[in-house]
Amino acid sequence: MAPPFLFCAVYIISIGSALINYKQWGLQDYSVETFFILLGGAIIFISIGYLVKILVYNKAPDNYSAVIELPKVNINVSVSIFLVILNFLILYLNYKSVKSIGGDGNWAQTIEAYRAITSYGTDPTMNIPGYIQQLQKIPTVCAYIYSFILIFNVIKDRASKKDWFFSIINTLIFILMSIILSNRLNILGIVGTIIVYYFVLKQSKFSNQNVRNLFKLLGIFVILMIFFYSIRLLVGRSGSANSSFLDYITMYVGGPVKLFDMFIMNPIHDSAIWGKETFVSLIGTFRDFGINIPLYIQHKEFRIYNGIELGNVYSAYRNWFADFGICGVITLQSLFAIFYNFYYYFLQKKGVTNHKLAFIIYGYMAEGIFLHPIDDWLFSIYLSVGMIIYLLLFFLLYNLITKKVKF
């Protein structure tokens, strides 16, 4: 679960998916510049991870023994029941908002219309109300906290029925909300985070289960991709109705490898707004404070190669290269690597089990590593005022959920 391993693993999957379409996507003409950006980014992340590990935490983790020795994490039932009711209400408000924007018709038509209006339009009135967008943070935070509690208690072999119930119900609410909002990346993120929670807490310096764990991860990935493909029409991807499983998954997972190369060879970018692709959330905050920054569509352009639609996701490198060139790629990739490696190894040094809330937040932010081949989340999403609200919610809800408080 070390960041360099995760980083390499997700890129192996992404590049491997692209190689399946080697001839169809013209990868034999892959540019040298793009190749060295991908290779250089990996070298930067691995090198910084190695140095940080030596400087911060140069020993094998033994989290499993620490988990076994600690008492189980308790759940406050009264608070949890209230949060489940609240989260169902928030889920309903999101459903009503999407229906009001997407209009009548079956669900696939509604969600497709909703995506077209909100993702590719600049009218702020045609979006989910701001207060509902803020409320979305509550079921999100609950899904991560309850998932952690369940994993922690399962490893202790002391998970109760209420641990299972509240974890499953809150995670399902979060998944349903993500489907309603046509955001499958959130689903990939929560699964990736649960994997991080489980395998980091199971880490032991005496463990010899690495090969078995790799096969478990592979099995989870295959199941997740089947689910990802199965719900594509439910989230408004009607254009993929006739796509086979292999074509669709390799396009989504491996497409950025080809798309980033197409961008390098034929860049399309309006640089009138500084950092418009890298610092999306910060720019939105500056605009809210009255700074004259024009509204713009955040999604990238779609591209087609030899009649094959490859989508519009280009990896994190696209944002950085478009805004700041190769020097920006080197600088931001280095900062990206420093943040995740330092957070992970410093947390291991201080003891994951002694800083549970910090570890829960790490799991939430670790999605930035999993999704690096698709997009950048660290600078575009986590570097924001919204993240401060998330941190406050994590602190407040974790203490309410796990402490014996009167309700």
Side-chain angles (χ1 to χ4, degrees), residues 59-75:
K59 63 178 181 179
D62 190 12
N63 296 316
Y64 181 73
S65 297
V67 172
I68 297 301
E69 293 171 0
L70 289 173
K72 67 172 291 185
V73 180
N74 292 307
I75 287 179

Side-chain angles (χ1 to χ4, degrees), residues 277-296:
E277 294 190 20
T278 304
F279 303 111
V280 174
S281 295
L282 283 181
I283 288 175
T285 301
F286 294 151
R287 187 187 297 114
D288 293 339
F289 284 144
I291 299 177
N292 185 21
I293 302 175
L295 283 170
Y296 58 91

Side-chain angles (χ1 to χ4, degrees), residues 12 110 114 191 288 298 310 324 345 376 403:
I12 287 171
T110 298
Y114 164 78
V191 173
D288 293 339
Q298 299 174 7
L310 295 177
F324 308 112
Y345 286 115
D376 163 47
K403 302 300 181 183

Side-chain angles (χ1 to χ4, degrees), residues 135-148:
L135 287 174
Q136 291 168 3
K137 294 180 171 63
I138 297 175
T140 301
V141 171
C142 286
Y144 287 88
I145 292 175
Y146 282 104
S147 295
F148 168 82

Side-chain angles (χ1 to χ4, degrees), residues 95-203:
Y95 171 77
K96 293 292 289 183
S97 296
V98 170
K99 286 288 288 184
S100 66
I101 295 170
D104 298 327
N106 61 42
W107 178 249
Q109 293 170 336
T110 298
I111 197 66
E112 187 167 17
Y114 164 78
R115 286 185 62 249
I117 293 169
T118 58
S119 297
Y120 302 101
T122 57
D123 184 356
T125 63
M126 295 299 292
N127 209 331
I128 292 179
Y131 79 94
I132 296 180
Q133 293 184 36
Q134 295 304 315
L135 287 174
Q136 291 168 3
K137 294 180 171 63
I138 297 175
T140 301
V141 171
C142 286
Y144 287 88
I145 292 175
Y146 282 104
S147 295
F148 168 82
I149 293 173
L150 177 63
I151 295 299
F152 189 94
N153 291 339
V154 163
I155 290 174
K156 285 187 64 64
D157 197 26
R158 292 189 61 191
S160 64
K161 291 181 179 179
K162 69 177 181 180
D163 297 334
W164 283 99
F165 173 78
F166 287 117
S167 177
I168 291 173
I169 196 68
N170 280 284
T171 303
L172 282 177
I173 291 173
F174 175 70
I175 290 173
L176 287 173
M177 186 177 73
S178 300
I179 292 174
I180 288 172
L181 297 174
S182 187
N183 192 337
R184 290 174 298 172
L185 288 183
N186 283 345
I187 301 173
L188 296 181
I190 187 68
V191 173
T193 297
I194 291 172
I195 290 171
V196 169
Y197 290 158
Y198 179 79
F199 284 103
V200 168
L201 292 175
K202 282 285 286 187
Q203 278 181 322

Side-chain angles (χ1 to χ4, degrees), residues 246-313:
L246 188 62
D247 287 341
Y248 185 77
I249 294 302
T250 55
M251 181 275 291
Y252 204 93
V253 178
V257 175
K258 176 62 179 179
L259 284 166
F260 182 54
D261 186 52
M262 293 175 71
F263 173 79
I264 292 295
M265 293 189 291
N266 181 27
I268 299 175
H269 180 68
D270 178 12
S271 59
I273 302 174
W274 183 88
K276 64 177 291 189
E277 294 190 20
T278 304
F279 303 111
V280 174
S281 295
L282 283 181
I283 288 175
T285 301
F286 294 151
R287 187 187 297 114
D288 293 339
F289 284 144
I291 299 177
N292 185 21
I293 302 175
L295 283 170
Y296 58 91
I297 297 174
Q298 299 174 7
H299 292 273
K300 283 89 172 175
E301 69 281 356
F302 286 85
R303 294 189 187 238
I304 298 175
Y305 181 83
N306 281 348
I308 303 172
E309 295 184 4
L310 295 177
N312 68 333
V313 290

Side-chain angles (χ1 to χ4, degrees), residues 220-231 245 249:
I220 293 170
F221 174 76
V222 171
I223 294 171
L224 187 60
M225 289 300 99
I226 293 172
F227 174 77
F228 195 81
Y229 174 76
S230 301
I231 66 170
F245 172 79
I249 294 302

Side-chain angles (χ1 to χ4, degrees), residues 40-73:
I43 292 173
I44 288 172
F45 201 97
I46 295 168
S47 301
I48 289 176
Y50 181 73
L51 291 173
V52 171
K53 182 180 180 182
I54 291 176
L55 295 173
V56 176
Y57 185 80
N58 192 22
K59 63 178 181 179
D62 190 12
N63 296 316
Y64 181 73
S65 297
V67 172
I68 297 301
E69 293 171 0
L70 289 173
K72 67 172 291 185
V73 180

